[in-house]
Each structure stands twice: as structure tokens, then as C-alpha cells.
Amino acid sequence: MEVTILGIESSCDDTSAAVLRGGVMLSNVIASQAVHVKYGGVIPELASRAHQQNIVPVIDTALKEAGITADEIDAIAFTRGPGLLGSLLVGVSFAKGLSLAKNIPLVEVNHLQGHILSHFIDLPDQQLPHPSFPFLCLLVSGGHTQLVKVSSPLEFEIVGTTIDDAAGEAFDKCAKVMGLPYPGGPVIDRLAHEGNPDRFRFAKPSVDDFDYSFSGLKTSFLYFLRDQMQENDQFIEQNKADLCASLQKTIIDILLKKLIKASKSLGIKEIAIAGGVSANSGLREAIEAEGKRRGWNTYLPPLKFTTDNAAMIAVAGHYHYLNGEQSDLDVAPVARLEELLK
């Protein structure tokens, strides 16, 4: 029997609901929050209020687009964490209420594992390519950068992680200094196509094993701009495209160096990327090019599954539910990954 999963995602500033049946996506509705743009970053209190306004119509729309009623749901998969606590609380609370009202089992999902398992979502008219196990996933989201060995849909081992800033934070913080709008990553990606990636050189921090560091890159970029602006207050405007291209190339180089090292050490040539930064066109092109050179099988998620979405939560919930895992009604959201892994 094909199980029907309702997924709910509310970890940051996107309210999303999706319905999957047998791993096939029937709907995936996302309500984004434009309110944060003028602040240059997500304001947690505003995010949680927007989730409260959006969650009922988003879930209602997801059910209607899927052509089902709440009575046909076999399980409710929800993001327990990591994320903004107030935002998570909205999604978790709604999931509990619906579970109680309709006597539907609850399944908690690790948001980051959801990103990784987005590679296993199928469409009604298309089965997307799925990585073979074990595979190595470069997970690059706004607040996390990790290398994860995935041995099965329920077996994950973090083999490398950032010791400070994540790649997404480096993009956004450097973009803010250049006066670019939020979120900065997509803007840098767009401008990078117009610039010379070899024009400027920035620091590439070196840390042990498969771990990452982006704090030194961010600091060197800020000091470089400060020194240049002392000489010419129009420097950023005159060199914006080259700055973006050089910064993006540096970040991609850092990401690829550890990915290559981990692939060699672990003997894994099934390589995937996931998370919001996996939408970056430069990174996608670099992964594919590196894969051709090294004989990798590379897997890039469709762009609609790179950002926070409930389809990835539903597919992760699908595997947990089939494994007999269910959550109690006293389950609470957790903000930090470390709390989730306890």
C-alpha cells in the first residue's frame, strides 16, 4: 500500500506544506515572507507571526492541489529542528493539533536530513535520478555547511562541518557589506556571471580533516574592501561584478577542496549536493565539471527543492514512517542541531 504523507516545514521564513504518496509529490506549496527584505536578514519575531498567518491556507491549498482530504493522510511529517524556535513552534503545534483532531500519526524530521533526501522525491510524470548508497552529500544551506556520508535513507554520518560561519552566511554577510539586497547569495551569483573570477584573491582558510571555515574569508574580504574604500569611495560600485565573481570562485574552491578530499578518502564516487546554496549556478557547474574529471556520478537537486520546502520533509517522513517511527504529542521543537541529535 502506498502511504500518503503530509509534510509541514516552518523552520525559518518559508511556510510550506506538501503531500507525497508513495514518494511521489502531489503538491508542494510555499509561502515566502518578503517582510524581511528591508531588514537585510530574517527577523525571528516577524517570521513566527507570518507563519501563524500562512500555515492554515498553505496546508489547505496543499491538500486541495493533491486532490485529497485530511482523512486520507497516513502520517504528518513535520520539521522539529534545527531552525528558529518561534517558527518551528508554529509548524509543530499545527501538526500536533491536526494529529489529535484526526488521529493521524506524527513523524518528526531533521530539517537537514530533509534537504539530503530531497534527491528521492519523484514527480507524477517523472522519476528523478536517485543517488545509490552510500553517497557523499555536500550540504550547503544558509546556516550549515556539512559533508555527510549517507548509507541509507535513515543512516547519516557527518564527516565534515564548518567550525564557524557557513558558506551561505559568507555569501550573505559579504553581500550586505557591498550594499546588495537580501538574500545576498542569489544576487552575488547573478553578478558573478558579469565579472572576472580571477581579478581579486581572498583568503582560503585551512582547517583539519574534512571540516570547513569561512570566517577568515569573510574577514579578509571586509578588510580588503575597507582598504580599497579608503583610496576610492566608489570602488565597490565600479568593481561589483569582479568582486562577486572572485568571492564566489573562492567559496566554491573551498567547498570543492574538502569534497574531493573526502571522496578520495572514503572511496565514494556517488556525489550529491543539497541545501539553499546548491542553487548557486557556479557551484552546480563546478560540481558537474569536477565529476566528469574524477568519474563521479553527480546529483544536483531541481532548483525548486533547493530552498526550504515541505516536499523534502514529507519524503524524509515517508522513510521514518515505513521504519515504524512515530512521535508523541509531547514532542517539542529544538533550535540547534546538537539538541536534535541527542
Side-chain angles (χ1 to χ4, degrees), residues 120-332:
F120 295 88
I121 301 170
D122 285 322
L123 305 179
D125 58 348
Q126 181 186 9
Q127 180 172 332
L128 300 175
H130 300 169
S132 298
F133 298 105
F135 68 91
L136 191 61
C137 185
L138 172 61
L139 177 61
V140 273
S141 66
H144 298 86
T145 297
Q146 297 177 342
L147 283 170
V148 183
K149 179 184 176 183
V150 187
S151 299
S152 80
L154 299 176
E155 294 178 271
F156 304 84
E157 179 188 357
I158 300 173
V159 297
T161 188
T162 180
I163 62 171
D164 42 55
D165 287 346
E169 290 174 311
F171 272 121
D172 286 341
K173 290 176 181 179
C174 292
K176 189 171 184 178
V177 173
M178 289 189 285
L180 301 179
Y182 174 85
V187 182
I188 288 177
D189 188 19
R190 176 175 55 80
L191 290 173
H193 288 284
E194 305 169 12
N196 176 5
D198 299 314
R199 171 83 184 280
F200 303 111
R201 294 185 179 275
F202 305 112
K204 296 180 182 178
S206 178
V207 292
D208 293 336
D209 300 321
F210 308 134
D211 288 337
Y212 288 104
S213 170
F214 290 96
S215 181
L217 165 62
K218 179 195 67 179
T219 302
S220 75
F221 185 79
L222 300 183
Y223 277 114
F224 174 79
L225 290 185
R226 184 199 65 180
D227 293 341
Q228 298 301 318
M229 292 296 286
Q230 289 175 349
E231 301 294 329
N232 177 5
D233 59 6
Q234 297 297 313
F235 177 80
I236 292 178
E237 191 61 37
Q238 293 169 354
N239 298 278
K240 193 171 289 183
D242 289 347
L243 286 167
C244 289
S246 299
L247 175 66
Q248 178 160 292
K249 182 177 184 294
T250 304
I251 292 176
I252 292 171
D253 287 348
I254 294 170
L255 290 171
L256 282 180
K257 181 179 179 181
K258 291 303 179 77
L259 177 59
I260 293 167
K261 182 178 180 181
S263 172
K264 287 181 177 179
S265 177
L266 299 174
I268 297 176
K269 292 194 172 184
E270 293 281 303
I271 306 296
I273 58 173
V277 182
S278 69
N280 181 279
S281 63
L283 177 59
R284 294 170 78 91
E285 292 166 6
I287 290 283
E288 287 193 311
E290 202 65 50
K292 290 178 181 178
R293 282 194 292 269
R294 298 182 180 277
W296 293 347
N297 294 320
T298 56
Y299 301 88
L300 311 180
L303 292 178
K304 61 185 173 183
F305 296 143
T306 57
T307 56
D308 293 346
N309 67 90
M312 70 184 195
I313 303 304
V315 75
H318 168 87
Y319 289 112
H320 285 291
Y321 180 73
L322 292 181
N323 195 47
E325 300 175 36
Q326 296 183 20
S327 300
D328 297 326
L329 283 170
D330 61 357
V331 63

